């Protein structure tokens, strides 16, 4: 309401103040860091634009290094200290004392926004914002502040100068928010107890490991895709158009296609600011494969300060490289979907074990469970969470994941088949609201990154 009543020339102020209030409500102690990143990046960006040649490059390096230093300290210092202490233990030395650092909410996302802004200014891909208020509103824009999508400044720069507000755009945004909230509350949250039980079992059985891993694959999708729907919808309600972040990734017929459809904004960022600067595909097949592998390792590390995430990134990088090598060597036509989709999902599920496990040792126990080395039957704690309702949620999730793309492909744009789900969304959304009111708060999974 406040935004709608604000004159157009002052709406960036409204967005900025509302976004900072939103962030301070979640984590007031970290608000200063967000403001520091905004001011630092804006000032450095001004120097990048005002300079040329080596001096311009020096300012860019300072800006990127400064932002990465803040990310490294707050996100990876605990991991570094723990790793050093582990080595000291092996060598027989006493551990040094370390005070755990709290990770500010959304740090990884707004640092990436700041870095992309500086690099795009250097490349000439982005124009300078009108003022620091527009830039601060871009970085702190509350729909994407704490969990993405990761946006490049030039995609929104013109929209900050001028954007349209129509009833149709507002209604479409509200619909996206309804879809996202329904995904989160009705399809992701109910699976959390099952996933937690399976992944906290000391020696998960085959049934524990497989059921928990499949449930986690569904939970993560509906949790994060639900957030992305809500972010895109809230932005539309404010007049902004965000790019899509999920393009039916679980129907992909290759790992390459999967990563072109899952968390699209992160994939774009890694390609533009890691893969291409490393050399991309410009220096032969071996160097290309190495660049691809390293990019995915960096993407894994971005997700969290744990060796499990690094290994998860390397797992995906290895399969991307393998697909590229086999394609270059044999050049065979793609396999049929009935074979390729389950194969891709098996690779994804096995990789997600590393993504979800607390540490590498526990991931090893889960893999033992998947291989049937810890017995087959459900353990008692997991069995308590396997209810008919949760199994129904899993089946409903599978139906949505694979049924929705098929429905959209076969239904004509203006047909009754295409509009029927829109009418069904209202009671589903009301059920989600009622469920949310009756349950405990369950944060989005990507808030931890």
């Amino acid at each position: 309401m406040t935004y709608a009543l604000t004159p157009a020339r002052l709406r960036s102020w409204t967005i900025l103040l509302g976004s900072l209030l939103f962030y301070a409500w979640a984590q007031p102690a970290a608000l200063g860091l967000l403001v520091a990143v905004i001011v630092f990046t804006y000032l450095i960006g001004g120097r990048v634009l005002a300079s040329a040649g080596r001096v311009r490059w020096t300012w860019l390096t300072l800006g990127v290094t400064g932002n990465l230093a803040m990310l490294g300290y707050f996100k990876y210092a605990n991991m570094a200290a723990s790793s050093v202490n582990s080595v000291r233990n092996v060598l027989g030395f006493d551990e040094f004392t370390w005070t755990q650092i709290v990770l500010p909410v959304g740090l990884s996302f707004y640092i990436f926004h700041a870095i992309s802004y500086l690099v795009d200014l250097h490349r000439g891909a982005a124009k300078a914002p009108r003022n620091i208020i527009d830039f601060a509103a871009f970085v702190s824009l509350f729909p994407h502040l704490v969990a993405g999508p990761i946006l490049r400044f030039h995609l929104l720069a013109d929209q900050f100068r001028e954007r349209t507000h129509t009833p149709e755009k507002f209604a479409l945004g509200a619909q996206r928010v309804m879809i996202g909230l329904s995904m989160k509350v009705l399809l992701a949250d109910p699976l959390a107890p099952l996933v937690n039980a399976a992944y906290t079992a000391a020696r998960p059985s085959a049934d524990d490991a497989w059921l928990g891993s499949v449930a986690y694959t569904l939970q993560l999708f509906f949790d994060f895709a639900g957030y992305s729907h809500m972010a895109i919808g809230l932005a539309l309600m404010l007049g902004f158009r965000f790019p899509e972040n999920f393009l039916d990734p679980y129907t992909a017929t290759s790992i390459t296609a999967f990563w072109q459809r899952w968390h699209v904004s992160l994939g774009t960022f890694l390609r533009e600011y890691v893969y291409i600067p490393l050399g991309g595909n410009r220096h032969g097949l071996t160097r290309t494969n190495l660049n691809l592998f390293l990019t995915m390792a960096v993407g894994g590390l971005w997700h969290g300060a744990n060796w499990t995430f690094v290994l998860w990134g390397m797992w995906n990088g290895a399969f991307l490289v393998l697909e590229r090598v086999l394609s270059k060597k044999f050049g065979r036509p793609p396999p049929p979907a009935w074979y390729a989709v389950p194969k891709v999902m098996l690779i994804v599920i096995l990789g997600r074990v590393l993504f979800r496990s607390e540490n590498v040792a526990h991931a090893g126990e889960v893999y033992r469970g998947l291989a049937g080395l810890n017995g087959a039957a459900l353990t008692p704690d997991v069995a308590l969470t396997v209810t008919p309702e949760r199994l129904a949620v899993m089946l409903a999730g599978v139906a949505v994941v694979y049924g929705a793309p098929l429905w959209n492909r076969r239904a004509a744009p203006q047909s009754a088949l295409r509009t029927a789900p829109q009418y069904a969304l209202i009671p589903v959304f009301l059920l989600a609201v009622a469920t949310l009111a009756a349950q405990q708060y369950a944060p989005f999974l990507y808030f931890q990154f």
Side-chain angles (χ1 to χ4, degrees):
M1 181 63 72
T2 303
Y3 177 80
L5 295 175
T6 303
R9 68 181 185 280
L10 299 177
R11 281 180 172 170
S12 288
W13 276 98
T14 303
I15 290 172
L16 174 60
L17 295 175
S19 297
L20 294 180
L21 178 62
F22 165 79
Y23 190 82
W25 190 277
Q27 200 174 36
L31 181 61
L33 179 63
L34 172 61
V35 173
V37 168
I38 290 171
V39 173
F40 171 77
T41 304
Y42 181 78
L43 293 176
I44 294 294
R47 301 314 306 163
V48 169
L49 284 174
S51 306
R54 186 177 295 276
V55 176
R56 185 186 184 100
W57 177 257
T58 300
W59 281 113
L60 172 66
T61 302
L62 176 62
V64 172
T65 302
N67 276 290
L68 288 178
M70 285 183 272
L71 179 65
Y73 176 74
F74 285 99
K75 188 165 185 175
Y76 301 108
N78 292 335
M79 176 183 174
S82 177
S83 299
V84 170
N85 276 333
S86 297
V87 173
R88 290 175 67 89
N89 278 331
V90 171
L91 297 177
F93 297 108
D94 294 334
E95 295 184 1
F96 67 86
T97 303
W98 176 260
T99 302
Q100 291 291 305
I101 298 170
V102 177
L103 175 65
V105 173
L107 177 68
S108 298
F109 289 93
Y110 65 73
I111 287 290
F112 269 24
H113 289 132
I115 291 174
S116 69
Y117 168 75
L118 292 173
V119 174
D120 284 353
L121 285 182
H122 176 76
R123 292 175 175 175
K127 298 178 181 178
R130 291 180 301 181
N131 48 56
I132 192 173
I133 302 303
D134 276 359
F135 175 69
F138 159 71
V139 175
S140 64
L141 188 60
F142 74 91
H144 74 108
L145 174 59
V146 293
I150 300 170
L151 302 177
R152 297 170 65 182
F153 178 75
H154 77 274
L155 294 175
L156 293 185
D158 290 339
Q159 297 183 56
F160 271 102
R161 292 186 176 91
E162 182 180 0
R163 56 188 177 276
T164 59
H165 300 81
T166 64
E168 292 77 15
K169 185 181 286 189
F170 188 91
L172 180 59
Q175 185 181 87
R176 295 294 295 266
V177 171
M178 293 164 68
I179 292 172
L181 183 67
S182 299
M183 282 183 167
K184 164 68 173 171
V185 174
L186 300 180
L187 295 175
D189 289 353
L191 299 179
L194 170 56
V195 174
N196 293 339
Y199 273 85
T200 54
R203 291 175 55 84
S205 67
D207 288 352
D208 295 340
W210 281 107
L211 193 60
S213 296
V214 171
Y216 179 63
T217 298
L218 291 169
Q219 179 199 14
L220 186 63
F221 174 80
F222 287 113
D223 189 281
F224 192 27
Y227 181 93
S228 293
H229 271 291
M230 295 176 70
I232 291 169
L234 288 169
L236 272 173
M237 294 167 74
L238 296 175
F240 294 97
R241 288 193 177 275
F242 286 1
E244 295 294 334
N245 208 27
F246 286 85
L247 301 172
D248 301 324
Y250 287 178
T251 64
T253 55
S254 67
I255 293 297
T256 301
F258 175 85
W259 280 106
Q260 291 168 346
R261 301 182 186 184
W262 173 276
H263 202 347
V264 177
S265 61
L266 175 62
T268 301
F269 183 96
L270 292 175
R271 183 184 69 246
E272 293 292 326
Y273 305 111
V274 180
Y275 177 69
I276 291 177
L278 284 174
N281 59 0
R282 301 189 298 272
H283 303 290
L285 182 60
T286 300
R287 177 68 180 274
T288 298
N289 290 337
L290 177 61
N291 293 340
L292 190 59
F293 183 80
L294 292 175
T295 299
M296 292 307 297
V298 169
L301 183 61
W302 173 84
H303 279 85
N306 194 319
W307 290 109
T308 55
F309 292 112
V310 178
L311 292 175
W312 171 77
M314 294 169 68
W315 168 274
N316 286 282
F319 279 101
L320 288 174
V321 169
L322 179 62
E323 285 186 351
R324 180 181 288 268
V325 170
L326 292 178
S327 175
K328 291 287 185 180
K329 184 172 183 179
F330 298 105
R332 295 174 180 171
W338 63 264
Y339 167 78
V341 172
K343 179 193 71 173
V344 169
M345 288 310 303
L346 178 61
I347 295 171
V348 169
I349 290 170
L350 292 177
R352 291 267 168 80
V353 171
L354 289 163
F355 196 84
R356 179 59 178 78
S357 297
E358 291 294 325
N359 51 57
V360 175
H362 189 255
E365 281 299 325
V366 178
Y367 283 125
R368 283 177 56 86
L370 292 173
L373 300 179
N374 295 335
L378 289 170
T379 55
D381 288 346
V382 178
L384 288 174
T385 66
V386 182
T387 62
E389 293 80 8
R390 287 199 178 94
L391 294 177
V393 168
M394 291 182 67
L395 290 175
V398 172
V400 170
V401 165
Y402 295 104
L406 184 63
W407 183 290
N408 290 332
R409 284 198 301 269
R410 293 190 175 183
Q414 302 301 323
S415 69
L417 284 176
R418 180 61 65 89
T419 58
Q422 298 176 8
Y423 294 109
L425 178 60
I426 296 175
V428 171
F429 174 70
L430 293 176
L431 175 61
V433 172
T435 303
L436 183 63
Q439 72 180 21
Q440 293 182 338
Y441 169 67
F444 286 94
L445 296 178
Y446 259 69
F447 280 11
Q448 65 185 300
F449 305 135

